[in-house]
Each structure stands twice: as C-alpha cells, then as structure tokens.
Amino acid sequence: KEISKLKTQSRKTKDLIELTRKNINNTSSLIKAYDKKINIYNKQLINLENAINRNNETIVEIKKSYEKRSISLYKNRNNDLSNYIFNSDSFSQMIYRLKYFNIISDINKKSVDKIKTTQSFNKQKTNEIVGLLNMVKDSKNDKKSQVSNLNKNKKYQEKLLKKLKNEENEVKAEIATQLKQI
C-alpha cells in the first residue's frame, strides 16, 4: 500500500513537472513574442524619429521663408505700412498692395499654425510609441519573472520526485529484507 501510494505521488509529481515545463515553454514563447513587438515598436520609433527630423527640417524652412518675408516687408516699407499703401500711384496699386500684405499675412499665419501642428503631432506620436514600448517591456519583465518562478517550482518538484523515488526504493528494500527474515 505504501509503495502504491508513493507511486501515485510520483505520477502526480511527474504530471506537475510536465505541466510546469509546458508553462515554461508557453511563457518563453510569450517572451519571444514580446521581443518581436519591442523590435517592431523600436522600428516604428526610428521611423517616427526620421519623420520628426523631416518635419523639423520643414519647420526650419518655414521659419527661414517667414524670416525672409518679414525682412523684405520691413525693408520695402516706406517708413510706415499705411504710408506705403496709401502713397500708391493709383487706386488699383493700393488694392494690389493691400491684397499682397493680406496674402503675406495669411501665409505667415498658416506657417505658424503648421509649425505648431507639426510639433504637437511629433510630440504626441513619440509619447504614444514610448508608452507602448514601456508597456511591452513591463509585460516582458513580468513574463521573465514568471519563468523564473516556474523554474524554481520545477526544481522543487524534481527534488520532491527524487525524494519520493528514494523513499519508494527504501520501502522496497525494507520489504525485501522482511521477506528474507520471514
């Protein structure tokens, strides 16, 4: 009875060890999947950084053209903008000058708006990618700690199995000794 009880416990322990091995394999697969996700997010981050650099170059170009327009406007004015407009040779020239300044003003406003929009987009996307990257890294670290715990559990179960087999062998030896005595 004692031997069959030990064999049953051994079988259960073997089943537990097998289940733990499967858990370790599944968790290791999850860790590999997290590594792939991290690689994808890193590539997205690199692409985003490249887009941000291109956007920053665009911003610099917009600023330069804004600066050129502002300097040109400043240099070409005759003491005062209103004098420049109202000292026109004809009424049509005055209207053209007004339209020109309105167009320049609209272009400048659109340029500033585009700069703000681009900068906010860059910041938002960077934060999104970094957040996803951190989330995946945290999940990966959790899975690594799970694997560590599963490995400890597996070692404990293997020690228990070894102990049960030794105990079973001792009981068999004791039975054999008693049978000899009988």
Side-chain angles (χ1 to χ4, degrees):
K1 285 181 182 179
E2 197 171 328
I3 289 174
S4 66
K5 184 178 175 183
L6 289 171
K7 283 184 179 181
T8 304
Q9 285 180 339
S10 294
R11 244 181 279 118
K12 287 180 182 178
T13 306
K14 284 179 184 178
D15 291 342
L16 279 174
I17 290 172
E18 187 59 32
L19 185 64
T20 305
R21 281 188 187 131
K22 287 180 183 177
N23 283 340
I24 290 171
N25 289 337
N26 290 339
T27 308
S28 296
S29 297
L30 275 175
I31 289 173
K32 288 177 185 175
Y34 284 133
D35 283 336
K36 288 180 183 178
K37 268 188 176 180
I38 288 172
N39 288 336
I40 289 170
Y41 288 146
N42 280 330
K43 287 178 184 176
Q44 285 180 343
L45 194 59
I46 289 169
N47 289 338
L48 184 63
E49 286 172 353
N50 291 337
I52 287 171
N53 289 335
R54 286 190 302 273
N55 287 342
N56 287 337
E57 289 171 4
T58 304
I59 288 171
V60 167
E61 288 173 14
I62 291 170
K63 285 180 180 179
K64 284 180 182 177
S65 65
Y66 184 84
E67 180 184 357
K68 285 179 184 177
R69 282 192 304 274
S70 297
I71 290 172
S72 173
L73 187 64
Y74 180 78
K75 285 181 178 179
N76 292 333
R77 71 182 181 106
N78 293 336
N79 297 335
D80 188 22
L81 180 62
S82 59
N83 285 338
Y84 182 68
I85 292 172
F86 292 116
N87 287 335
S88 302
D89 294 335
S90 67
F91 183 72
S92 61
Q93 186 182 28
M94 181 178 79
I95 290 178
Y96 283 125
R97 286 181 180 176
L98 277 173
K99 284 183 180 181
Y100 171 76
F101 288 117
N102 285 336
I103 289 170
I104 295 296
S105 176
D106 286 343
I107 290 172
N108 288 342
K109 186 176 181 182
K110 287 177 183 176
S111 296
V112 169
D113 289 343
K114 186 173 182 179
I115 288 170
K116 287 179 182 177
T117 305
T118 303
Q119 287 174 335
S120 104
F121 175 79
N122 290 348
K123 190 174 188 179
Q124 176 191 359
K125 287 298 178 185
T126 301
N127 289 340
E128 281 179 24
I129 299 280
V130 168
L132 287 172
L133 201 57
N134 289 336
M135 184 179 71
V136 171
K137 283 181 180 178
D138 289 343
S139 297
K140 180 183 171 185
N141 290 336
D142 289 344
K143 293 301 174 190
K144 281 185 176 181
S145 67
Q146 279 183 357
V147 166
S148 175
N149 290 337
L150 287 171
N151 279 327
K152 287 177 187 176
N153 192 13
K154 180 181 156 197
K155 286 178 184 178
Y156 169 76
Q157 290 168 352
E158 286 173 344
K159 284 181 184 178
L160 181 64
L161 180 64
K162 192 174 184 180
K163 183 178 175 184
L164 289 172
K165 285 186 178 184
N166 287 339
E167 200 173 316
E168 181 183 338
N169 289 336
E170 288 174 5
V171 169
K172 283 181 182 178
E174 187 178 327
I175 289 173
T177 306
Q178 287 180 2
L179 284 174
K180 280 185 184 178
Q181 285 178 354
I182 291 173

